[in-house]
Amino acid sequence: GSKLELIVENGRIIAITSILLNNNIEINGEDGQGGKVIIYGDVILAQYTESVKNIEITGNVKISSQSQAEVKFSNVKIYGKVTFTEETVAKQIMVASLAPIAAATTKIKIVFNDSSVAIIEINKEDVALYAGGTTEVAEVNVKSNTTIDAEGIIFPKIVLGQGATNVEINASIK
């Protein structure tokens, strides 16, 4: 059960506005001409999304508490906010751009390599964040216990909020 919402002009797809995928997936947005696919809207990830590559996302990315294991972002540009949330995807399906569904009880590891993100907000327990390569993150807001690791990059701003009582940071901060 996958669903795709598109903008089509003169028989040609010009934009992806919504994606719903329900299985183990790897999303690779290479357009075949050296460019990236652009998703105009929000993306919700759950279950076993293994990797997201070569995509621009103009909206926000929400990684549900139903996510499991590890999600890798590579060569991805996210103009909005990335959040790790306790909200269930089931409530979000009507507005979701990408929403595989499952239950999770394990720690989630999120990896960003050679990517750009405006804001990462961690408000879910047991999230491990790793950033490497040429990744740029303008701000990280931490509202729950987490581990943050970075290799070769500097976070300009990490804000610890209410609920963040046990945070491990293995990264440089400007």
Side-chain angles (χ1 to χ4, degrees), residues 2-39:
S2 297
K3 180 181 177 183
L4 200 60
E5 292 181 17
L6 311 164
I7 296 174
V8 179
E9 288 184 3
N10 299 323
R12 187 167 181 206
I13 298 171
I14 61 166
I16 298 170
T17 58
S18 172
I19 301 173
L20 172 65
L21 298 169
N22 289 310
N23 292 310
N24 297 359
I25 56 172
E26 176 180 298
I27 303 164
N28 190 337
E30 286 185 272
D31 67 2
Q33 299 174 359
K36 298 178 189 176
V37 168
I38 300 173
I39 297 176

Side-chain angles (χ1 to χ4, degrees), residues 52-73:
V52 180
K53 300 178 184 177
N54 307 311
I55 291 179
E56 287 190 31
I57 300 167
T58 64
N60 299 315
V61 175
K62 185 175 284 190
I63 301 174
S64 170
S65 62
Q66 298 172 340
S67 296
Q68 295 186 42
E70 182 173 280
V71 179
K72 295 179 183 178
F73 293 87

Side-chain angles (χ1 to χ4, degrees), residues 124-160:
K124 181 199 179 322
E125 296 292 328
D126 296 322
V127 168
L129 172 64
Y130 172 82
T134 60
T135 296
E136 296 177 359
V137 179
E139 183 175 324
V140 178
N141 296 322
V142 180
K143 298 180 178 180
S144 63
N145 299 334
T146 191
T147 301
I148 300 171
D149 290 297
E151 188 175 310
I153 70 162
I154 298 172
F155 290 107
K157 184 177 184 181
I158 296 179
V159 178
L160 301 179

